[in-house]
Amino acid sequence: RLESAAENGGVNPLGGAPLHPLHTASTLHGLLVSVSEEVPDAPLYHCLPSLCSSVNSPTIPMLNFRAALVNAGYEVSAYHKEPSAVKTNAPNYVVWDVVRAWCKEYPPAKRKESKRHRKGEEQGSNAPGNQPDVDIATKILSKEMRTEVDFTIPKGFGERKKARRWALNPEKNWGPKKAASGKNKRKKEVDEDGDEEMGGEEPNVKQSRT
């Protein structure tokens, strides 16, 4: 019914009052399509930018990441609530092996550290006294890989049923606005009051010699 309503401007295909406004029907239809495509036996998901950030790497292209998991023999899908998330039935070590393989092909930049941090003396460091602190990225990438990773994207991979999968903004220019500072209001008062803001005195203007 939602598919029919979306195709008919939100009109109820069975007659009567409209089911939903067009944008609402399209959004609900897309949500249901997204949920139906998810891996059924994967209750959790991985946020791809967070995985890559952990090893100081730029985010892996979504298609390449998903293709690597499929080529390794696992199921993979999107997550209806987060565009940058991935659901898969692959074990965690396989997911990290994909990240390690990508970092071997495209080595990430090393994070800058202070001398005190390298010596384990910086405040907040978990390293014992006078011992170098090995960062988490080095620990992850130094582990031996157990998965043969192939980033080749199969032909037709990524093709999905056409649907509006993410809700539209409720109004134009939707999102965080600039914080109010009161500066504009102060400027307006000066412009409107004129002499009052100057205490009724003429401004001291420096005269130039002629």
Side-chain angles (χ1 to χ4, degrees):
R1 295 177 65 185
L2 282 173
E3 290 182 359
S4 300
E7 295 171 358
N8 293 281
V11 177
N12 190 337
L14 302 180
L19 283 174
H20 302 282
L22 177 58
H23 67 278
T24 304
S26 300
T27 301
L28 290 174
H29 171 247
L31 176 64
L32 294 176
V33 169
S34 298
V35 172
S36 69
E37 294 173 343
E38 292 181 6
V39 177
D41 55 347
L44 305 179
Y45 64 89
H46 300 277
C47 188
L48 186 53
S50 296
L51 290 174
C52 297
S53 177
S54 299
V55 294
N56 307 327
S57 170
T59 302
I60 304 171
M62 181 63 75
L63 273 181
N64 294 93
F65 186 80
R66 294 175 61 180
L69 293 174
V70 169
N71 292 335
Y74 299 97
E75 294 180 282
V76 64
S77 71
Y79 175 51
H80 68 275
K81 197 175 180 181
E82 175 57 58
S84 60
V86 173
K87 295 187 75 173
T88 180
N89 57 2
N92 285 340
Y93 77 85
V94 174
V95 174
W96 283 113
D97 279 349
V98 172
V99 176
R100 293 184 189 98
W102 183 265
C103 289
K104 282 188 176 182
E105 293 189 26
Y106 306 94
K110 290 186 178 181
R111 183 174 294 173
K112 293 182 179 180
E113 297 177 348
S114 66
K115 292 182 179 179
R116 291 188 63 192
H117 181 72
R118 288 195 296 269
K119 294 178 180 179
E121 298 174 354
E122 187 173 351
Q123 186 176 3
S125 173
N126 292 324
N130 300 323
Q131 292 294 326
D133 179 32
V134 180
D135 66 287
I136 188 65
T138 302
K139 290 181 180 179
I140 293 174
L141 296 179
S142 62
K143 287 192 174 183
E144 185 178 354
M145 292 178 54
R146 294 185 280 169
T147 309
E148 185 176 346
V149 180
D150 179 11
F151 290 104
T152 304
I153 300 175
K155 186 177 180 179
F157 183 77
E159 294 181 359
R160 300 186 295 178
K161 185 176 182 178
K162 188 176 180 181
R164 179 178 291 169
R165 299 170 187 278
W166 313 108
L168 298 176
N169 291 335
E171 62 182 27
K172 188 178 180 181
N173 300 323
W174 177 261
K177 305 295 190 298
K178 185 177 180 181
S181 62
K183 291 183 179 180
N184 292 336
K185 182 179 178 182
R186 173 69 176 171
K187 183 179 179 181
K188 186 176 180 182
E189 289 176 353
V190 172
D191 292 340
E192 291 178 352
D193 296 342
D195 291 344
E196 288 187 23
E197 289 294 318
M198 300 298 298
E201 298 179 0
E202 290 292 331
N204 184 15
V205 180
K206 184 177 181 180
Q207 297 181 350
S208 60
R209 295 182 180 180
T210 56

